[in-house]
C-alpha cells in the first residue's frame, strides 16, 4: 500500500527539495503543513504545485487541532518533520521562536504520531554535537553539547523524540545532517548570502578570520538519506548524514567569487558570531551501512550548479529578499553592509 506522508515544513529549503524528490522517486502522497514563516515560500513548490499527489495546508505544527485533523482526514501513515526555525544568528537575537517551533512543535507532532501509530522522522542537525577542534569527527554516540539557542532547541527536539520511542514505543528515527547547500536555500545562510552579495558587488561579510570549518552536503543527497531513513531506519536510531566535505568558510567564499569572476576585495571580515562553533565534521559510515545510502554530488560541480540556480531565479531571490529580510539584514550586518 502506498504511503501518505505529513511533511511538516515542506515549503522550506530541505522540505521543498524533499517534496520534489518524493514526488519524482517514490509512490508516496504528501500533505505539507507549513506556517510560511519568512523562510517558507510557496514559490519553492511551483514545479510540483499541480501534482495531484501533493496537498498544502497553511498552519503551525504547534497547532494540535490542525495536526490531528490532517492525520485523520488524509489517513497519514508517517510524519517527516522538516519544520523548524533554523538560523543560528536569528536564535542569538531571540531564542523564543526556536523553543516554540523546534521543541513545542516537535512535541505536538510526536503526540500525533503516538496517537495514530505513525512512523516518524525527526530531521536534525550535526550542530547538536557542538564544536570540534582541529581533529576528530561526530559519530552517533558523540555527546550532545549544543552552543547556540538554535542547536539547543534542536537537541531538545531530539531528546523528546528518543523519549517517545522509549516511553510509548514510537517508531521514530533521527537524521543529523551537516551543512546543506543547493536550490531554494534562504539567502541568510553562508552560501546563498555570499552568492547574492557577490552578484550585486556588495561586501561579503565573513565572521572572524574565516577559518571556521563546515562539512558540506548537497541538499539532494540529504533528502535521499531522509527517505532511506524513513524506509530502512530502525526506531530509536540516529543516523549522521554527511558527505565528507570539510571546507573553511573563507575557501568557500573564494570559490564562489571565482565562479562569478568577482574580485576577492569584496570580502569583508567582520565581528565574529558569539559562541561560534569552530568546526563540524560528520562521520556518515553508520548511515551508509544501515541505510544503503551514499552521497553522490561532487562539491565543485554542485556549488557551480547552485550558483547558476541563483542567477537564473532572480524573481525568487527578489521575493526572498524583500520585506522582513531587509530589517534582518540591517540588524545583523549594520550600515556598512
Ligand atoms: P528553512 O528555514 O529553510 O525552512 C523551515 C521551514 O519550516 C519553512 O518553510 C518554515 O515556514 C517552516 N516552519 C517554521 N516554523 C514552523 C512552524 N512552527 N510550523 C510550521 N512550519 C514552520 O530550514 P531548512 O534549512 O529547510 O531546515 C529544515 C530542517 O533541516 C531543520 O530541522 C534543520 O534543523 C535541518 N537541517 C538543516 C540543515 C541546513 O543546512 N539547512 C542542515 C542540517 C539539518
Ligand atoms: P550558516 O550558513 O549560518 O550555517 P551554520 O552556522 O548553521 O553552520 O553559517 C555557516 C558558516 O559561515 C558559519 O561558520 C558562520 C559563517 N558565516 C559567515 O562567516 N558570514 C555570514 O554572513 C554567515 C551567515 C555565516
Amino acid at each position: 500500500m502506498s504511503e501518505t506522508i505529513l511533511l511538516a515544513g515542506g515549503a522550506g529549503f530541505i522540505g521543498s527539495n524533499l517534496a520534489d524528490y518524493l514526488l519524482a522517486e517514490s509512490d508516496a502522497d504528501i500533505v505539507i503543513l507549513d506556517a510560511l514563516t519568512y523562510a517558507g515560500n510557496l514559490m519553492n513548490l511551483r514545479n510540483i504545485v499541480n501534482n495531484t499527489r501533493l496537498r498544502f495546508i497553511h498552519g503551525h505544527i504547534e497547532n494540535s487541532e490542525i495536526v490531528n485533523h490532517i492525520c485523520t482526514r488524509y489517513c497519514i501513515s508517517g510524519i517527516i518533520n522538516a519544520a523548524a526555525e533554523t538560523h543560528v544568528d536569528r536564535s542569538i537575537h531571540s531564542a523564543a521562536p526556536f523553543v516554540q517551533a523546534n521543541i513545542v512543535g516537535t512535541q505536538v507532532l510526536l503526540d500525533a504520531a503516538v496517537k495514530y501509530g505513525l512512523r516518524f522522522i525527526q530531521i536534525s542537525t550535526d550542530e547538536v554535537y557542538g564544536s570540534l577542534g582541529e581533529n576528530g569527527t561526530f559519530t552517533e554516540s558523540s555527546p550532545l553539547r549544543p552552543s547556540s539557542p538554535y542547536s539547543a532547541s534542536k537537541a531538545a527536539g531530539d531528546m523528546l523524540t528518543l523519549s517517545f520511542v522509549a516511553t510509548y514505543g514510537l517508531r521514530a528515527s533521527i537524521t543529523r545532517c551537516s551543512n546543506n547547500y543547493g536550490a531554494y536555500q534562504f539567502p541568510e545562510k553562508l552560501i546563498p548570502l555570499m552568492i547574492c552579495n557577490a552578484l550585486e558587488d556588495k561586501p561579503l561579510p565573513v565572521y572572524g578570520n574565516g577559518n571556521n570549518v563546515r562539512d558540506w552536503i548537497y541538499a539532494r543527497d540529504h533528502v535521499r538519506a531522509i527517505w532511506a531513513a524513513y524506509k530502512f531506519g530502525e526506531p530509536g536510531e540516529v543516523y549522521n548524514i554527511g558527505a565528507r566535505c570539510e571546507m573553511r568558510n573563507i575557501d568557500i567564499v573564494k570559490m564562489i567569487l571565482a565562479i562569478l569572476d568577482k574580485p576577492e576585495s569584496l570580502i569583508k571580515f567582520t565581528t565574529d558570531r558569539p559562541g561560534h562553533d569552530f568546526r563540524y565534521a560528520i562521520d556518515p559510515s553508520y548511515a551508509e551501512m544501515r541505510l544503503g545510502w551514499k552521497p553522490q554530488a561532487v562539491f565543485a560541480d554542485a556549488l557551480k550548479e547552485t550558483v547558476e540556480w541563483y542567477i537564473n531565479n532572480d524573481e525568487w531571490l527578489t521575493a526572498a529578499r524583500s520585506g522582513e529580510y531587509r530589517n534582518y539584514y540591517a540588524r545583523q550586518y549594520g550600515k556598512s553592509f
Side-chain angles (χ1 to χ4, degrees):
M1 205 181 76
S2 82
E3 303 259 4
T4 303
I5 307 285
L6 167 51
L7 173 54
F13 167 45
I14 310 281
S16 57
N17 274 280
L18 180 58
D20 271 348
Y21 175 77
L22 290 179
L23 291 175
E25 303 293 335
S26 82
D27 293 334
D29 289 354
I30 307 171
V31 180
I32 289 178
L33 173 63
D34 196 296
L36 297 179
T37 67
Y38 77 92
N41 187 346
L42 284 177
M43 283 172 91
N44 296 0
L45 304 173
R46 65 195 154 179
N47 296 335
I48 50 177
V49 75
N50 292 324
N51 192 310
T52 52
R53 287 164 51 211
L54 175 74
R55 274 173 208 281
F56 179 85
I57 313 269
H58 184 201
H60 285 80
I61 55 171
E62 301 93 295
N63 184 336
S64 60
E65 250 177 64
I66 294 187
V67 171
N68 286 330
H69 169 75
I70 292 172
C71 290
T72 50
R73 165 79 178 74
Y74 297 104
C75 297
I76 295 296
S77 44
I79 297 178
I80 300 181
N81 183 18
E85 288 291 336
T86 61
H87 192 36
V88 172
D89 293 325
R90 287 185 191 253
S91 80
I92 294 168
H93 285 289
S94 173
F98 289 75
V99 170
Q100 198 55 31
N102 301 358
I103 306 177
V104 178
T106 299
Q107 168 250 310
V108 170
L109 294 177
L110 289 166
D111 278 343
V114 170
K115 187 169 178 179
Y116 300 107
L118 311 178
R119 175 85 173 109
F120 193 95
I121 294 290
Q122 172 71 353
I123 302 179
S124 189
T125 164
D126 61 356
E127 299 191 34
V128 297
Y129 297 122
S131 183
L132 290 167
E134 295 284 351
N135 300 306
T137 51
F138 297 130
T139 69
E140 285 77 2
S141 52
S142 298
L144 302 195
R145 292 202 180 107
S147 38
S148 72
Y150 160 62
S151 51
S153 67
K154 291 297 295 180
D158 286 14
M159 293 292 96
L160 271 177
T161 303
L162 294 176
S163 80
F164 273 58
V165 176
T167 306
Y168 306 110
L170 179 66
R171 291 178 294 129
S173 312
I174 296 174
T175 57
R176 291 190 182 135
C177 191
S178 59
N179 286 63
N180 284 228
Y181 63 100
Y184 300 117
Q185 186 168 31
F186 194 77
E188 64 188 352
K189 305 279 167 61
L190 180 76
I191 288 181
L193 178 74
M194 297 299 157
I195 296 170
C196 298
N197 282 18
L199 281 170
E200 292 182 351
D201 298 306
K202 282 169 67 175
L204 272 49
V206 174
Y207 298 158
N209 56 15
N211 286 336
N212 299 64
V213 173
R214 296 294 182 263
D215 188 357
W216 293 93
I217 185 170
Y218 200 32
R220 283 191 210 155
D221 278 335
H222 181 191
V223 301
R224 283 194 302 105
I226 294 167
W227 188 233
Y230 183 93
K231 284 189 301 182
F232 307 121
E234 291 290 329
E237 291 236 300
V238 172
Y239 302 101
N240 280 356
I241 311 298
R244 298 184 183 85
C245 180
E246 287 184 55
M247 302 276 298
R248 292 189 311 160
N249 294 339
I250 188 67
D251 295 327
I252 296 220
V253 171
K254 286 181 179 172
M255 278 177 84
I256 291 170
L257 288 169
I259 293 169
L260 290 170
D261 198 18
K262 298 282 183 173
E264 290 186 6
S265 56
L266 285 175
I267 295 172
K268 187 161 175 190
F269 292 98
T270 179
T271 317
D272 209 355
R273 172 187 278 174
H276 195 173
D277 287 334
F278 171 64
R279 174 171 164 260
Y280 303 143
I282 276 275
D283 177 359
S285 318
Y286 188 69
E288 289 174 339
M289 181 182 69
R290 296 300 293 248
L291 304 178
W293 161 90
K294 270 200 185 320
Q296 293 171 346
V298 174
F299 183 74
D301 299 341
L303 181 65
K304 213 163 163 234
E305 235 180 80
T306 303
V307 171
E308 278 158 13
W309 187 87
Y310 282 90
I311 292 172
N312 294 329
N313 285 274
D314 196 37
E315 201 190 333
W316 182 93
L317 202 50
T318 306
R321 296 169 93 201
S322 61
E324 195 273 346
Y325 182 81
R326 288 171 195 275
N327 302 334
Y328 164 75
Y329 197 86
R331 189 184 61 199
Q332 179 64 19
Y333 297 103
K335 286 203 176 83
S336 52
F337 285 91

